[in-house]
Amino acid sequence: MATTIPVPFADLGKATNDLLSKDFPVGQTKFELKTVTADGVTFNVLGHQDNKSGHIGGEFKTKYVDYKNGLTVTESWTTTNHITTQIEVENKVAKGLKVDITGGLVPHEGKKNAKIGVQYKQLGLNSRAYVDLLKGPTFTADVVVGREGFSVGGDAAYDASGSYITRFAAAAGYTTPEYAVTLLANNSFKVFSASYYHRINGDLEAGGKAVWDTKHAPAGDKSKSPVALEVGAKLYLDRNAFVKAKVNNAGVLGLGYTQALRKGVKVSIGGLFDTTKLNQAAHKLGLSLVFEA
């Protein structure tokens, strides 16, 4: 009998993906300010500047949570003038059921989008379905079933106007408190990946991922590998600081350092270094500042 609720399909392999992608703010300078009011409203301001082009972008986001009534309202406005509103109601219609309504607008371009989604989860099951009302309409659904650490899931999208399946995927994984292994066939079974994550001890984590893209596999070129391989690790120096490192089979080395300066203030620096072109300007650096109150 299942004793836990499995993660959504999109989160299968998340531990490895976070290890290899988060806390490497390369190629840009990022800023985030997050505050929470006493009545449950969260204000979040995000900004970023591309180090190469100098382009500055940002987003202003508000989020209101009414835990008593299972209501969450999120609104965002970006510097590209993209306005989004999301309304979520959870555990009110039925236990384990969440209804999600999302609408978006780009006023100066006249673009609109509207989606309705439902998520139902219980022990051993996590399923979701969405309808994009203005694009197609397109129906998207995924489901994951799990038991005793094992998870199996699938994902598919269907375009009603063209009467065809636009994509499908499948995944399987095994998770314990110490490690996790995930196999994924994505992009209509054109991209295959395998990943693992291992919490070696309280201070050290390690993981790796291999990806085979059948559409971009080199044909007859033995100098290029058909499989992209990346491994990484995270080491806590103390309760307020950690370092991360990763490297792939193309010779690109990633380094990151994160330090909590004080409660609610965190700084991260990172870099990507092409070890095959150390004497060239092929490297990227970045900085991230986060303030929470």
Side-chain angles (χ1 to χ4, degrees):
M1 181 179 178
T3 58
T4 60
I5 299 174
V7 299
F9 183 84
D11 288 344
L12 290 171
K14 185 176 184 298
T16 303
N17 293 333
D18 287 350
L19 178 68
L20 298 176
S21 62
K22 280 190 173 183
D23 307 306
F24 292 100
V26 295
Q28 59 182 335
T29 301
K30 300 172 65 178
F31 172 84
E32 180 177 356
L33 173 63
K34 182 178 180 181
T35 61
V36 183
T37 65
D39 57 354
V41 179
T42 300
F43 296 97
N44 201 357
V45 179
L46 302 98
H48 57 85
Q49 180 181 32
D50 187 274
N51 293 348
K52 186 175 182 179
S53 67
H55 174 74
I56 299 176
E59 179 182 18
F60 176 66
K61 182 183 294 186
T62 63
K63 185 175 183 179
Y64 171 72
V65 181
D66 183 349
Y67 294 101
K68 182 179 179 180
N69 295 303
L71 174 67
T72 302
V73 180
T74 306
E75 296 182 326
S76 67
W77 191 10
T78 71
T79 52
T80 57
N81 206 24
H82 190 176
I83 303 170
T84 304
T85 299
Q86 181 182 37
I87 301 174
E88 300 168 278
V89 179
E90 188 169 8
N91 293 324
K92 296 302 291 183
V93 179
K95 184 178 181 181
L97 180 66
K98 181 171 74 173
V99 180
D100 178 345
I101 301 174
T102 304
L105 175 66
V106 184
H108 65 287
E109 296 181 0
K111 294 182 179 180
K112 303 176 183 178
N113 65 75
K115 297 180 181 180
I116 298 177
V118 294
Q119 179 181 17
Y120 179 68
K121 54 186 178 181
Q122 62 178 19
L123 294 179
L125 173 69
N126 198 326
S127 59
R128 302 181 302 177
Y130 294 90
V131 180
D132 191 326
L133 300 175
L134 303 182
K135 185 179 179 181
T138 302
F139 298 87
T140 303
D142 61 69
V143 61
V144 176
V145 294
R147 182 173 181 177
E148 297 179 353
F150 289 95
S151 298
V152 178
D155 167 88
Y158 177 78
D159 188 321
S161 62
S163 300
Y164 65 96
I165 296 175
T166 59
R167 74 164 195 269
F168 53 88
Y174 180 70
T175 303
T176 72
E178 182 182 350
Y179 68 91
V181 179
T182 306
L183 302 175
L184 177 64
N186 215 336
N187 290 10
S188 302
F189 290 1
K190 294 183 177 65
V191 180
F192 301 87
S193 66
S195 65
Y196 84 94
Y197 167 84
H198 185 193
R199 183 181 294 276
I200 300 171
N201 54 49
D203 296 328
L204 182 61
E205 305 170 21
K209 186 175 184 178
V211 180
W212 176 38
D213 188 338
T214 60
K215 294 182 63 175
H216 296 91
D221 188 350
K222 295 184 178 180
S223 65
K224 297 182 179 180
S225 173
V227 176
L229 178 64
E230 188 172 33
V231 294
K234 178 179 181 179
L235 174 65
Y236 286 90
L237 304 177
D238 54 44
R239 60 182 298 179
N240 295 317
F242 62 82
V243 293
K244 297 181 73 172
K246 64 178 180 179
V247 65
N248 62 28
N249 63 325
V252 178
L253 172 67
L255 298 174
Y257 173 75
T258 298
Q259 172 76 54
L261 302 178
R262 53 175 294 180
K263 184 178 180 180
V265 181
K266 183 176 69 174
V267 60
S268 299
I269 57 175
L272 284 180
F273 308 94
D274 191 334
T275 60
T276 66
K277 303 175 182 178
L278 290 177
N279 60 341
Q280 301 180 28
H283 317 301
K284 297 180 180 180
L285 301 175
L287 171 70
S288 173
L289 291 170
V290 179
F291 298 87
E292 295 186 26

